[in-house]
Amino acid sequence: MKANRADFLELSQEVLNRGALLRFQANGGSMHPFIKNGNILVVEPVKGISVNIGDVVFYHCSDRSLIAHRLVKKNVQKGETRLVTRGDSLNYFDPPVQPGQVMGRIVEIENGRKRLRLSKWSGRIFGLLVALSERGRYPQQTRITRNLGRIWWLTRGKQIK
């Protein structure tokens, strides 16, 4: 079933607000090679204030689009927290996100043959390493991220039975 942007946002909010996991197919290449177009993502509900650097957060924008990008910075100014995200394959940061826009955190990725669980300690450390490598604005850091993503799938991906 193909849903329009507004319907998918509403359905996602409903599922996550009930405390259930959301499972859907990724659309886009901004997180390549860690998340590829067509991969299946599993999202756990989480409040924006409790996400950590390195997490792949699932959030909504004002235009009702939904994005899954890596949290690379948390900025606190005048008592307000702003989250800075970035797609692993992009050379720029996304506009700052308010914690209230965050709906969940990606905890699992399936590519048809393998499954990666990001909720384990190794997944958290990997995410943190990628986020720290992405804090700068240097082109070589995107290459570092791509190589880390490929290595992660080869070494940590579990066969789907």
Side-chain angles (χ1 to χ4, degrees):
M1 179 176 107
K2 196 139 176 138
N4 68 34
R5 185 182 291 183
D7 290 342
F8 185 59
L9 172 60
E10 187 177 321
L11 177 65
S12 299
Q13 285 177 322
E14 182 67 27
V15 168
L16 294 168
N17 285 342
R18 290 180 180 206
L21 296 176
L22 174 69
R23 189 173 187 269
F24 68 96
Q25 188 172 31
N27 182 17
S30 63
M31 289 293 292
H32 184 84
F34 193 61
I35 299 173
K36 295 178 182 171
N37 189 43
N39 284 166
I40 303 299
L41 305 179
V42 178
V43 181
E44 74 175 354
V46 67
K47 299 294 181 198
I49 203 70
S50 63
V51 293
N52 300 307
I53 303 296
D55 287 346
V56 179
V57 295
F58 182 64
Y59 64 93
H60 64 87
C61 297
S62 58
D63 67 355
R64 303 184 66 80
S65 62
L66 292 166
I67 297 177
H69 279 176
R70 190 171 312 280
L71 179 62
V72 294
K73 293 182 189 177
K74 279 186 175 182
N75 293 330
V76 180
Q77 294 177 354
K78 298 180 184 176
E80 283 194 36
T81 302
R82 295 279 189 245
L83 307 174
V84 179
T85 61
R86 180 175 165 186
D88 287 354
S89 68
L90 303 177
N91 288 324
Y92 55 87
F93 297 109
D94 300 324
V97 176
Q98 296 179 8
Q101 292 175 258
V102 174
M103 298 165 50
R105 163 181 33 228
I106 308 299
V107 293
E108 190 172 282
I109 306 165
E110 295 177 18
N111 72 0
R113 299 179 319 266
K114 290 186 174 182
R115 173 181 298 135
L116 283 176
R117 291 209 166 101
L118 308 180
S119 55
K120 294 181 178 182
W121 67 270
S122 56
R124 300 238 185 238
I125 290 172
F126 172 79
L128 183 60
L129 288 172
V130 173
L132 293 175
S133 77
E134 290 183 350
R135 283 189 167 193
R137 295 177 183 257
Y138 306 107
Q140 67 267 24
Q141 286 171 327
T142 300
R143 274 180 273 154
I144 291 168
T145 302
R146 286 186 188 133
N147 289 331
L148 283 172
R150 287 183 187 107
I151 291 167
W152 190 253
W153 270 106
L154 290 172
T155 61
R156 302 301 301 173
K158 303 293 183 201
Q159 293 289 6
I160 295 176
K161 296 176 184 174

